[in-house]
Amino acid sequence: MSPVAFSSSDDQLPLGEYLFRRIRSLGIGSIFGVPGDFNLGLLEHLYSVQGLKWVGCCNELNSAYSADGYARMSGKLGVVVTTFGVGELSAINGISGAFAEYVPVLHIVGTTPTIFKADGRFTHHLVTDKSVLHAADHYSYENMVGAVSCCAETITHADEAYQKIDHVLSEILYHKRPGYLFVPIDLADSLVDSTSLLTTPGEMFYERPIDPNPSQTLKIATLILDKIYHSSNPCILADVFTDRFDMTETVREFVKSTQIPNFASMMGKGILDETENSYVGSYNGNESNQAIIDWIDSSDLLIHIGDYDNEINSGHDSIHSGLNEIITLNHERIRVCSEIFTDVNFVYVLPAMLALLEKAKIPETITDNWPIDKILMNHPTPVPTPHVSQTDLFYSLQEFLRPNDVLVCDTGSFMFAIPDLVFPQGVKYIGQQFYLSIGYALPATLGVGKALQDMGFESRLILVEGDGAAQMTIQEFGNYIQEGISPTVLLLNNSGYTVERIIKGPERTYNDIVPHWQWCDLFRVFGDYTETKSSSVKVKSQKDLSLALNSIQSGKINMVEVIMDKMDCPWRFIKMTANSKSKV
Amino acid sequence: MSPVAFSSSDDQLPLGEYLFRRIRSLGIGSIFGVPGDFNLGLLEHLYSVQGLKWVGCCNELNSAYSADGYARMSGKLGVVVTTFGVGELSAINGISGAFAEYVPVLHIVGTTPTIFKADGRFTHHLVTDKSVLHAADHYSYENMVGAVSCCAETITHADEAYQKIDHVLSEILYHKRPGYLFVPIDLADSLVDSTSLLTTPGEMFYERPIDPNPSQTLKIATLILDKIYHSSNPCILADVFTDRFDMTETVREFVKSTQIPNFASMMGKGILDETENSYVGSYNGNESNQAIIDWIDSSDLLIHIGDYDNEINSGHDSIHSGLNEIITLNHERIRVCSEIFTDVNFVYVLPAMLALLEKAKIPETITDNWPIDKILMNHPTPVPTPHVSQTDLFYSLQEFLRPNDVLVCDTGSFMFAIPDLVFPQGVKYIGQQFYLSIGYALPATLGVGKALQDMGFESRLILVEGDGAAQMTIQEFGNYIQEGISPTVLLLNNSGYTVERIIKGPERTYNDIVPHWQWCDLFRVFGDYTETKSSSVKVKSQKDLSLALNSIQSGKINMVEVIMDKMDCPWRFIKMTANSKSKV
């Protein structure tokens, strides 16, 4: 999408209109949120901006999750609008998740008017001070967001509005993390300087600044290539910052050119082209399949690209514990074996490596028995069950996947089976693999679906959702119908919080969920009474699951309630739990 | 309920067991929450404490609202348990609401283990620092809660556990505001000193400390009585802190003894016995019915008891703007006309006033035309509509109310009709009248219902819920069925956010909600498939509404979907909106 064409050459616009035009100029077509009396005056300006659509969510947490999904799918930005206090706090867990997982989201909060802030009056939605004798602090909520945002701007006067708006957006897109914009509602209609819409078009916000240290970049790129040339059996581990800092194509090209055996990290699933001969599987240290661990351990050089060092991704700190030499590259730090550099950024080093690459010097590592049978290597035999086993589901999903599908998975047991899937070309995977807030994926899928619509993509959308997670955010199903989002929903009904049962209390009531929901009636109740836009079926066996997946109706929401055992769980989660317990 | 009898005389207990026994000793029978890997070890100890029941909610915000409802109904304490980050942040808006409205809620958060906190490892559910080069701060979330809690205790060692637990509880019950308890999960099983369970039984937590300044109390009580004796036409305005600081019975007795004409504030609805001859109606300054304003304006002394000075309650600062003299009394400040005292507390002054009262000296104010027709005075003629009007609903509800009913109303249009109701004896009203977070009441009703069960009360429970509010937190309907809560639910279907439409954008899409929900099928879908525990009916006319309310089935959830016009709104909200706009 190209930035919107302005209908006038005015150099001033109302603040709200400037804000939404700026957002539109970034290629955004949909924004999410809930109205409230402190943001209505801002929302009014939406209607002056062609091509920007309001998606009213059922609540603010769902809005934040939707905006996060929109950002991940579009590769641009997600936007959520809430109201003072009640709205912004309801959304904060969604923002925190986006911060933890490096997702660019702008959270616009309509706040109390400037004069209220100045005189500290006791306005509704406000928490009064510990003592009623003191004036109220209208900045209480704003003061909470420092740890969950890369930038927070409070507009205090119309004169500074455009700079602050542009600044928070540019910080968000540079750091790939959420930012806040607090707009006192009395300023929504104030005229602000809007010339920057012409002088700084939206595309410029996505441009990478010029490398501040090109000689160091060249040195490090050369050093890394030299390490690779002198290794005998290198491997590449693609991690999440590769995706977040737009290095996916560069890494894919490097992999294609070098044919170095390559692996995906837990958070890096989907970055690599898994149809490449050189793709092996998923690696997260001791929590991986043993065959993968053996492979990595036998390599003399591990090149970990876009590394995000956290316990999930690193297999509880076991990912770099082998005997091989390690290279890690991300946006803040590059480690080349024993040397650490913090004055370089992989967004410059990787392209330099690609430019300098001498293919002939890359060691040949692909042996006679290549390609190995990737799936069988990774996945154990099904556990016998009268219902659908996790393994059944895994194989069915593997068979169901088509090129360019978008797969969203909520936090829960099956998330730990996904690394074993081998994706057809162009499959995109979205899940909150580190922050792990349950209930994320259901509204995130709304955002993903809106992004696909805005991008004009026809990808199939698949949501894997646990029953416990679904109960958290279920109301947003109604918006699938309203907004014309048509995913295939695999609703895993295993009667509670299976991942928690594995950790503790397998039979405890605290791991039960509110029982007996009629999952297959939900889309009827939430707006598709005549089932013209959705189709729902409950399956209790592998055969019925296959049948259901073979009968998916295009253009409809296809809900498949999958009956599973409450203690059935992918092998990786069990291995992870055992490994993590040993670390406490 | 009396504190639980201990089965052993051990002077040590596991921390989790100590915590839950202490909560049980406060007369609490139900606690609310969602499990997570950082609280499972704590929840295990629930099963060692007889009489304390886990109510697993669908999400954490709903849990916090439920705990708030439990606290308001029980007059004791609400307890919510969440997990690190993802859970605690999801609940924070509910806690903020409890803080704004002075509701005692304990929020227990199971956090990362002490050694993780010490070494700053990148644990899941955590936000990493702005730079990945820095260690993670495991206290990021704890640092957010200062503005929304009266006390926050982080347990760092088992030795201090019992003091910190007892301290946060005692602060919560003293200040009547929420507090946080952060428990690193590795300490859940650690043995802690438990002798205080015997030496400080739960009842003592509810005891008021001895008056630190009895001579000043006596002086102020005498001064106020003297003002009353010398007035000719005093009135009493009962406000919310009367309820929160357990002064309701004292105020009722004072009213009964003096027969001074009395009024309820917006937040004080239900404090007064409205069957008393001397009860007049609801007063919130310029936003009141004109007849009430005239009444107050003609009084020479306004005694505002339990005053919480905020814009909703004070009619945007118009409540004390008349020519009369003003006395205000709360827990931090007593104002007697021009004199202000901050070294006294109304919890001591009110009983002293009652003790010192000389009835003969009270001016006689009840005139010949008393009692006035309170309802007709307060409520205008219905607006013509093909559907059910707000006025129809008002009269139907007035007729439906019975003594000892509990009425819960969500934030929305009808909340502003409630002040005009005249409550039968013992009716309790619960609503978030100042913080005004929509979606509060639906889960709060779960908490209210659990409190009624725990207290052994047979009160009828009535929930008035808007469609926009209901969509926020709808999933908790499932728990009504699961937990045997049987309210009459008046679901006001007016196709969106009516209160916002009144303020701005009557026809804007941002004020629409996700349409076409089948409200009457919800209880079937959420667990009562055969409709043995619920009954649902849609009404489109006053006649059908009356019929439905006359056909309420006891022991069942009675859902009445009421079709209303999207711009119909009680007169008070329109008056309030006009008045508040004049204040910006």
Side-chain angles (χ1 to χ4, degrees), chain A residues 44 47 59 122 124-125 128-129 132 149 177 308-309 311 332 435 471-472 475 509-510 518 525, chain B residues 44 47 59 122 124-125 128-130 132 149 177 308-309 311 332 435 471-472 475 509-510 518 525:
Chain A
E44 267 300 303
Y47 302 93
N59 66 39
F122 287 175
H124 66 285
H125 297 341
T128 44
D129 188 83
V132 291
S149 57
R177 303 185 94 169
Y308 186 5
D309 179 20
E311 64 168 10
E332 290 195 299
Y435 192 67
Q471 287 197 343
M472 291 253 160
Q475 49 272 86
T509 53
Y510 58 68
Q518 301 295 321
V525 166
Chain B
E44 266 301 303
Y47 301 93
N59 65 40
F122 287 176
H124 66 285
H125 297 340
T128 44
D129 188 82
K130 287 190 180 160
V132 291
S149 58
R177 301 185 97 170
Y308 186 7
D309 179 20
E311 64 168 10
E332 290 196 299
Y435 191 67
Q471 286 197 345
M472 292 253 161
Q475 50 272 86
T509 53
Y510 58 69
Q518 301 294 322
V525 166

Side-chain angles (χ1 to χ4, degrees), chain B residues 116-133:
Chain B
F116 291 24
K117 289 177 187 263
D119 66 20
R121 72 180 75 171
F122 287 176
T123 316
H124 66 285
H125 297 340
L126 194 76
V127 284
T128 44
D129 188 82
K130 287 190 180 160
S131 164
V132 291
L133 305 181

Side-chain angles (χ1 to χ4, degrees), chain A residues 18 52 69-70 107 147 175 187 201 221 227 229 238 283 348 377 405 410 474 492 495 527:
Chain A
Y18 177 82
L52 191 60
Y70 189 93
H107 186 175
H175 294 287
L187 299 179
K227 284 281 179 190
Y229 300 153
Y283 178 61
Y348 307 113
M377 186 181 77
D405 280 353
D410 215 320
I474 196 72
L492 314 189
S495 307

Side-chain angles (χ1 to χ4, degrees), chain B residues 101-330:
Chain B
E101 302 232 333
Y102 286 74
V103 181
V105 172
L106 172 65
H107 186 175
I108 302 168
V109 184
T111 76
T112 47
T114 45
I115 55 162
F116 291 24
K117 289 177 187 263
D119 66 20
R121 72 180 75 171
F122 287 176
T123 316
H124 66 285
H125 297 340
L126 194 76
V127 284
T128 44
D129 188 82
K130 287 190 180 160
S131 164
V132 291
L133 305 181
H134 302 155
D137 178 3
H138 286 247
Y139 297 94
S140 296
Y141 307 130
E142 301 183 26
N143 291 337
M144 289 183 187
V145 306
V148 297
S149 58
C150 70
C151 177
E153 290 286 9
T154 302
I155 296 179
T156 53
H157 196 278
D159 283 354
E160 58 183 21
Y162 90 89
Q163 292 104 321
K164 287 193 166 177
I165 291 168
D166 286 5
H167 180 246
V168 69
L169 285 165
S170 116
E171 288 289 301
I172 291 167
L173 290 171
Y174 181 78
H175 295 286
K176 309 292 186 185
R177 301 185 97 170
Y180 274 83
L181 184 70
F182 297 98
V183 185
I185 199 55
D186 56 320
L187 298 179
D189 300 340
S190 301
L191 288 178
V192 308
D193 185 335
S194 64
T195 47
S196 86
L197 287 172
L198 297 169
T199 56
T200 319
E203 294 95 332
M204 288 178 67
F205 284 73
Y206 293 106
E207 281 170 18
R208 191 165 291 141
I210 290 166
D211 186 355
N213 200 351
S215 63
Q216 183 72 342
T217 294
L218 192 64
K219 183 187 127 185
I220 306 296
T222 308
L223 187 63
I224 294 172
L225 285 174
D226 205 50
K227 285 281 179 191
I228 296 173
Y229 300 151
H230 289 89
S231 70
S232 60
N233 190 20
C235 17
I236 288 173
L237 176 62
D239 203 348
V240 62
F241 288 145
T242 304
D243 170 74
R244 299 303 194 267
F245 291 92
D246 309 318
M247 287 289 109
T248 296
E249 287 315 310
T250 312
V251 168
R252 286 187 173 202
E253 209 175 322
F254 190 79
V255 163
K256 205 175 186 71
S257 300
T258 61
Q259 287 295 305
I260 294 174
N262 50 92
F263 301 77
S265 75
M266 279 295 276
M267 294 181 78
K269 183 68 182 172
I271 290 169
L272 296 165
D273 180 350
E274 302 184 3
T275 66
E276 279 282 346
N277 209 23
S278 58
Y279 173 74
V280 186
S282 177
Y283 178 62
N284 63 323
N286 293 346
E287 295 159 20
S288 317
N289 183 294
Q290 191 57 46
I292 298 273
I293 298 173
D294 294 345
W295 189 303
I296 299 276
D297 284 352
S298 72
S299 154
D300 63 341
L301 181 67
L302 175 63
I303 309 145
H304 187 173
I305 305 178
D307 68 302
Y308 186 7
D309 179 20
N310 62 56
E311 64 168 10
I312 299 292
N313 231 4
S314 72
H316 293 87
D317 238 7
S318 62
I319 205 162
H320 296 154
S321 60
L323 296 174
N324 41 33
E325 291 210 284
I326 311 284
I327 293 171
T328 68
L329 305 98
N330 69 27

